[in-house]
């Protein structure tokens, strides 16, 4: 299976480039202050546009097959046989409120001990903290994340793990014991269901809204006779909140 580079960067660059040029030209026809402002703003827009266009037309190949991964990017241009790959992990970083967008899913590579790959391993696997590298940001290709995951599972077999699936499975079965005075069962069940649905989504606002609802519920869930055991529900909801999103970059992510 061949992955194809997304055209989004090229389209945005081609749209913004004339805008930046017009801003520069408009500044030339005005006062000194307007000239300086036009040169700065227009120049920055043009630089960003050119950078986006250059990145979009850079040679790219990502082919998934029974032989391994044939990769051509700015950092790598070679076949990675499966024998050189210890593990591949598809990881969805939780969104952060300050970023105002959903981060791209990442394909992380843990090289085999015998691999001749000579690139720095600057990341850690979310599975076991082993050193790894980002091989692909999935939003950089046109194929859907699930399509990429399907191809990697088909050709990579046990060498591939979809971390998104592991996270969802943690919250797919919630069984809470009953105590004499606990949380309202219907309210908890409805909240957990909304959280599960949000976990399956790449919608930034949906996940943040679900997180906010879970955080609010941690202090507002009604107590009833013969309700869910509070300690266990609180732990479950805190883990669910951490998996959905983070309000700040430094907020601890659920393991």
């Amino acid at each position: 299976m061949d992955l194809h580079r997304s055209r989004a960067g090229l389209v945005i660059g081609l749209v913004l480039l004339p805008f930046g040029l017009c801003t520069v030209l408009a500044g030339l026809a005005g006062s000194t202050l307007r000239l300086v402002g036009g040169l700065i703003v227009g120049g920055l827009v043009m630089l960003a546009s050119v950078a986006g266009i250059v990145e979009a037309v850079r040679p790219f190949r990502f082919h998934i097959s029974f032989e391994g991964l044939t990769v051509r990017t700015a950092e790598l241009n070679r076949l990675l046989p499966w024998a050189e790959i210890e593990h591949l992990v598809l990881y969805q970083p939780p969104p952060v409120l300050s970023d105002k967008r959903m981060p791209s899913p990442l394909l992380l590579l843990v090289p085999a001990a015998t691999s001749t790959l000579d690139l720095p391993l600057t990341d850690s696997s979310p599975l076991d903290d082993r050193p790894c590298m980002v091989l692909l940001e999935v939003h950089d290709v046109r194929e859907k994340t699930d399509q990429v995951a399907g191809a990697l599972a088909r050709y990579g077999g046990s060498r591939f793990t979809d971390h998104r699936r592991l996270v969802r499975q943690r919250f797919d079965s919630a069984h809470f014991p009953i105590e004499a005075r606990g949380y309202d069962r219907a309210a908890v069940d409805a909240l957990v269901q909304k959280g599960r649905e949000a976990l399956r989504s790449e919608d930034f606002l949906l996940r943040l809204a679900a997180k906010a609802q879970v955080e609010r519920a941690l202090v507002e869930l009604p107590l009833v006779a013969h309700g869910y055991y509070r300690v266990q529900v609180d732990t479950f909801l805190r883990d669910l909140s951490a998996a959905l999103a983070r309000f700040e970059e430094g907020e601890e992510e659920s393991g």
Side-chain angles (χ1 to χ4, degrees), residues 1-3 60-64 69-71 107 135-136:
M1 176 182 178
D2 279 306
L3 305 185
F60 173 84
R61 191 184 185 200
F62 203 104
H63 180 70
I64 309 168
L69 306 178
T70 303
V71 180
L107 182 61
L135 196 59
L136 177 72

Side-chain angles (χ1 to χ4, degrees), residues 93-108:
V96 180
L97 179 60
S98 59
D99 288 346
K100 299 182 174 61
R101 62 184 177 86
M102 191 71 180
S104 173
L106 305 175
L107 182 61
L108 304 175

Side-chain angles (χ1 to χ4, degrees), residues 94-95 167 170-171 199 207 238-245 253-254:
V167 172
R170 288 185 57 207
F171 303 101
L199 273 180
R207 291 183 63 141
R238 289 191 188 99
D239 288 345
L240 178 58
S241 174
L244 283 166
E253 183 182 337
S254 177

Side-chain angles (χ1 to χ4, degrees), residues 191-247:
L191 183 65
V192 170
Q193 182 58 34
K194 287 183 179 179
R196 288 171 180 159
E197 292 171 359
L199 273 180
R200 290 178 170 81
S201 172
E202 291 188 16
D203 187 305
F204 173 74
L205 293 178
L206 178 63
R207 291 183 63 141
L208 281 177
K211 178 183 178 70
Q213 191 171 0
V214 170
E215 291 288 331
R216 187 169 59 251
L218 281 166
V219 295
E220 295 181 358
L221 273 174
L223 295 174
V224 298
H226 304 294
Y228 284 144
Y229 184 51
R230 285 170 287 176
V231 173
Q232 191 167 329
V233 171
D234 285 345
T235 300
F236 182 92
L237 292 181
R238 289 191 188 99
D239 288 345
L240 178 58
S241 174
L244 283 166
R246 287 172 283 171
F247 288 133

Side-chain angles (χ1 to χ4, degrees), residues 42-226:
L44 289 175
V45 171
M46 291 176 67
L47 283 174
S49 303
V50 170
I53 293 171
V54 169
E55 180 63 28
V57 300
R58 190 192 301 272
F60 173 84
R61 191 184 185 200
F62 203 104
H63 180 70
I64 309 168
S65 69
F66 288 115
E67 293 182 346
L69 306 178
T70 303
V71 180
R72 185 178 185 187
T73 63
E75 298 81 18
L76 193 61
N77 183 15
R78 57 168 290 192
L79 168 68
L80 288 172
W82 291 115
E84 288 195 43
I85 298 174
E86 180 70 23
H87 213 87
L88 290 169
V89 182
L90 183 60
Y91 170 61
Q92 173 63 72
V96 180
L97 179 60
S98 59
D99 288 346
K100 299 182 174 61
R101 62 184 177 86
M102 191 71 180
S104 173
L106 305 175
L107 182 61
L108 304 175
L109 166 67
V110 179
T114 56
S115 174
T116 58
L117 186 66
D118 187 22
L119 287 173
L121 306 179
T122 56
D123 290 81
S124 298
S125 169
L127 298 178
D128 50 21
D129 290 328
R130 281 186 295 177
C132 65
M133 62 172 288
V134 177
L135 196 59
L136 177 72
E137 294 192 16
V138 181
H139 283 177
D140 287 343
V141 299
R142 281 178 263 165
E143 286 71 22
K144 300 293 186 184
T145 307
D146 287 341
Q147 291 177 292
V148 177
L152 290 168
R154 183 164 60 252
Y155 293 108
S158 61
R159 286 185 173 89
F160 171 69
T161 296
D162 188 344
H163 186 263
R164 303 172 308 155
R165 187 181 299 274
L166 297 182
V167 172
R168 294 165 187 167
Q169 287 174 351
R170 288 185 57 207
F171 303 101
D172 275 347
S173 57
H175 302 292
F176 306 113
I178 305 298
E179 63 177 338
R181 186 163 180 79
Y183 289 135
D184 182 275
R185 287 180 278 178
V188 172
D189 290 343
L191 183 65
V192 170
Q193 182 58 34
K194 287 183 179 179
R196 288 171 180 159
E197 292 171 359
L199 273 180
R200 290 178 170 81
S201 172
E202 291 188 16
D203 187 305
F204 173 74
L205 293 178
L206 178 63
R207 291 183 63 141
L208 281 177
K211 178 183 178 70
Q213 191 171 0
V214 170
E215 291 288 331
R216 187 169 59 251
L218 281 166
V219 295
E220 295 181 358
L221 273 174
L223 295 174
V224 298
H226 304 294

